[in-house]
């Protein structure tokens, strides 16, 4: 593994600076210097996130307005940065003196930014806060790097299998409980107008996010990538496409595209996340259900979600952390994650009837005990890229699963934290 991660990240920043000089500007931050400022008598706290859904943005605005009402001396300036751009913005901002105070980070990226020195060490304020033991180990582990804490989980999600109830009933099928049943159901449900199964295989973190659970279920991990289990998982995906049960176009379709196809009856089963439930309940045109992912050698799902972090550039870290504590007060946090279609990262909140009495939400809630975080150290983004390339190769048929996995392992193995 690279020993000088900060130097590596700075090289990436330098490259991004060169590229940005040649590219048109598509979004801008709030401006300012070093993450905070003054507006009259008020302290200005800059906040970046990449949330797009109406429900999640509404929940964020509620938190901000409530905090500002309780603290008239503080103004929170929220800036939306697209999910695809927020990492580059942070890297560029770290050398350009244009950083937020508070930032939402996709949890697999957290350790890399901590290692690069971009995030503030929150170990002591979190210790004084005294709430760390309320959180599930999976989400919490994503905020920790080399024994120090650099953030707080916001909300979590994981993946399960959505299925079209009417299509299953018409074929006399029950939701698949294992891979053999999954393959058989996909075969029987595929028609000239409907694909039996869909997942996401785009060349972004979404693609890795959807492949890793299959690898876990086959008994493998990034730490032993070149193994029979990884090849078995890659072969499952390859065979779904070869047999016509899944479209090759999944290499271009995000999770948001998949749910649209499922909700309009073009896909019979899909692997997707917790956050799709509000959309399906509001706009779905099909009779749907959800079950845990079919098992192979073992069960398994993956942990997704976002974390709070404070940048090292912030001149008002105490106020920024006070906002985080305010947002994480149990009743306020519960209202937020409910509105945002997420699961609580706090184990005590997950026992609330909202998640336990809803049969669909309970599938995801129960999986939180075993959901695996992508906490593989600061080199994880490069490991993820290798997985994405491998996944696209086996789906397009440019390489056999065995060869694609072997080549990806050659990139991943040196990066694994020993």
């Amino acid at each position: 593994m690279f020993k000088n991660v900060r130097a590596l990240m700075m090289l990436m920043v330098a490259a991004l600076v060169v590229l940005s000089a040649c590219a048109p500007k598509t979004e801008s931050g709030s401006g300012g210097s070093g993450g905070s400022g003054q507006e009259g008598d008020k302290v200005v706290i800059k906040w970046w996130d990449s949330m797009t859904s109406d429900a999640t943005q509404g929940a964020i605005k509620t938190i901000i307005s409530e905090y500002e009402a309780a603290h008239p001396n503080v103004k929170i300036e929220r800036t939306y940065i697209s999910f695809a751009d927020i990492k580059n913005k942070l890297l560029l901002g770290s050398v350009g003196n244009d950083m937020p105070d508070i930032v939402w980070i996709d949890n697999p990226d957290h350790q890399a930014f901590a290692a690069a020195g971009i995030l503030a060490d929150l170990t002591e304020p979190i210790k004084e806060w005294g709430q760390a033991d309320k959180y599930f180990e999976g989400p919490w582990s994503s905020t920790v790097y080399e024994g120090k804490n650099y953030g707080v989980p916001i909300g979590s999600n994981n993946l399960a299998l959505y299925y079209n109830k009417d299509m299953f009933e018409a074929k006399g099928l029950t939701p698949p409980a294992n891979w053999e049943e999954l393959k058989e159901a996909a075969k029987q449900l595929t028609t000239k107008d409907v694909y039996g199964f869909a997942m996401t295989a785009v060349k972004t973190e979404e693609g890795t996010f959807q492949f890793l659970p299959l690898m876990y279920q086959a008994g493998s991990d990034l730490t032993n990538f070149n193994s029979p289990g990884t090849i078995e998982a890659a072969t499952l995906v390859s065979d779904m496409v070869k047999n016509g049960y899944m479209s090759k176009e999944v290499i271009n379709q995000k999770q948001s595209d998949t749910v649209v196809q499922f909700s309009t009856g073009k896909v019979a089963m899909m692997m997707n996340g917790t956050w799709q439930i509000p959309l399906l309940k509001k706009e779905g045109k099909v009779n749907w259900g959800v079950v845990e992912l079919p098992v192979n050698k073992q069960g398994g799902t993956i942990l997704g979600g976002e974390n709070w972090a404070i940048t090292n550039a912030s001149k008002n870290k105490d106020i920024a952390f006070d906002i985080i504590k305010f947002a994480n007060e149990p009743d306020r946090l519960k209202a937020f994650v409910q509105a945002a279609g997420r699961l609580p990262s706090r184990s005590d909140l997950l026992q609330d009837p909202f998640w336990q009495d809803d049969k669909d939400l309970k599938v995801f809630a129960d999986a939180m005990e075993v959901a695996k975080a992508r906490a593989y150290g600061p080199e994880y983004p490069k490991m993820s890229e290798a997985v994405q390339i491998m996944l696209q190769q086996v789906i397009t048929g440019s390489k056999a699963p065995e060869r694609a996995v072997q080549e990806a392992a050659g990139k991943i193995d040196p990066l694994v934290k020993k």
Side-chain angles (χ1 to χ4, degrees):
M1 189 177 78
F2 291 103
K3 294 182 178 179
N4 194 340
V5 178
R6 187 173 303 188
L8 178 64
M9 294 288 274
M10 296 310 292
L11 286 173
M12 292 169 60
V13 170
L16 286 166
V17 169
V18 172
L19 290 172
S20 66
C22 304
K25 303 300 182 185
T26 56
E27 288 185 342
S28 61
S30 302
S33 58
S36 54
Q38 295 285 140
E39 185 176 285
D41 295 329
K42 294 187 176 184
V43 177
V44 177
I45 300 295
K46 297 202 296 184
W47 162 320
W48 288 4
D49 69 66
S50 55
M51 298 298 103
T52 57
S53 73
D54 291 341
T56 307
Q57 292 196 63
I60 289 172
K61 290 174 183 177
T62 297
I63 289 173
I64 291 174
S65 63
E66 288 179 352
Y67 188 87
E68 289 178 337
H71 303 81
N73 64 315
V74 176
K75 177 177 175 58
I76 301 173
E77 290 185 350
R78 176 195 175 233
T79 300
Y80 162 79
I81 309 289
S82 75
F83 181 80
D85 291 340
I86 198 163
K87 288 189 281 189
N88 289 352
K89 283 280 191 179
L90 281 172
L91 290 169
L92 290 169
S94 67
V95 293
N97 205 28
D98 181 18
M99 294 287 275
D101 297 277
I102 294 172
V103 61
W104 285 26
I105 295 178
D106 197 30
N107 56 28
D109 297 323
H110 208 114
Q111 292 178 330
F113 282 113
I118 291 173
L119 305 184
D121 179 357
L122 302 178
T123 305
E124 286 306 313
I126 284 175
K127 184 177 179 181
E128 294 173 9
W129 183 39
Q131 297 292 303
D133 61 348
K134 304 292 186 184
Y135 289 79
F136 283 106
E137 180 181 353
W140 194 262
S141 69
S142 69
T143 69
V144 177
Y145 177 64
E146 293 188 340
K148 296 182 179 181
N149 189 272
Y150 291 87
V152 175
I154 298 170
S156 295
N157 55 65
N158 55 65
L159 294 175
L161 185 76
Y162 289 83
Y163 67 101
N164 186 309
K165 289 184 175 181
D166 292 338
M167 290 182 184
F168 269 73
E169 184 177 349
K171 292 288 186 178
L173 298 171
T174 56
N178 55 55
W179 281 18
E180 289 306 313
E181 292 178 4
L182 174 67
K183 289 184 279 189
E184 182 61 26
K187 176 181 178 180
Q188 293 198 38
L189 294 165
T190 297
T191 69
K192 65 182 182 63
D193 298 316
V194 177
Y195 284 104
F197 179 72
M199 59 182 286
T200 297
V202 290
K203 194 177 175 295
T204 69
E205 184 59 29
E206 287 188 35
T208 307
F209 183 66
Q210 295 233 324
F211 178 75
L212 291 185
L214 300 177
M215 187 181 68
Y216 299 152
Q217 291 161 12
S220 294
D221 205 333
L222 289 179
T223 54
N224 64 324
F225 194 77
N226 190 14
S227 63
T230 309
I231 295 170
E232 187 178 4
T235 301
L236 171 69
V237 176
S238 174
D239 286 350
M240 284 284 189
V241 174
K242 282 183 180 178
N243 292 324
Y245 309 154
M246 180 168 71
S247 170
K248 187 181 293 185
E249 287 304 309
V250 295
I251 63 172
N252 300 313
Q253 292 168 359
K254 299 182 292 184
Q255 292 169 125
S256 57
D257 300 319
T258 304
V259 74
V260 170
Q261 293 183 342
F262 176 79
S263 68
T264 54
K266 295 178 181 178
V267 166
M269 294 181 287
M270 69 167 179
M271 186 159 57
N272 222 315
T274 323
W275 62 92
Q276 306 294 14
I277 288 179
L279 182 146
L280 286 171
K281 286 184 174 179
K282 181 180 179 182
E283 301 178 14
K285 299 178 175 63
V286 297
N287 182 21
W288 59 275
V290 63
V291 294
E292 66 180 52
L293 292 177
V295 304
N296 186 21
K297 292 180 176 63
Q298 60 192 27
T301 190
I302 191 166
L303 181 78
E306 300 81 27
N307 299 330
W308 300 94
I310 297 172
T311 66
N312 249 336
S314 173
K315 294 180 172 64
N316 291 290
K317 294 181 179 67
D318 54 343
I319 297 175
F321 190 69
D322 190 62
I323 293 169
I324 292 174
K325 290 193 296 182
F326 180 86
N328 280 272
E329 292 173 2
D331 287 345
R332 185 170 289 108
L333 179 61
K334 183 169 72 173
F336 170 79
V337 291
Q338 287 177 358
R342 281 161 171 71
L343 299 167
S345 298
R346 288 179 60 125
S347 57
D348 53 345
L349 294 187
L350 200 60
Q351 300 309 310
D352 189 89
F354 180 85
W355 289 280
Q356 294 299 320
D357 292 351
D358 184 303
K359 66 181 186 306
D360 299 320
L361 285 172
K362 185 172 172 55
V363 172
F364 294 98
D366 290 348
M368 280 297 294
E369 292 285 356
V370 296
K372 185 174 176 62
R374 290 158 286 172
Y376 294 97
E379 303 291 2
Y380 172 73
K382 289 192 172 186
M383 300 181 206
S384 177
E385 183 180 19
V387 173
Q388 295 160 28
I389 293 170
M390 179 279 299
L391 187 57
Q392 295 220 330
Q393 288 172 338
V394 300
I395 287 176
T396 60
S398 66
K399 288 187 180 167
E402 294 84 356
R403 182 64 177 168
V405 168
Q406 183 183 43
E407 290 184 1
K411 302 172 187 176
I412 292 170
D413 289 349
L415 304 174
V416 172
K417 189 173 182 180
K418 303 299 184 184

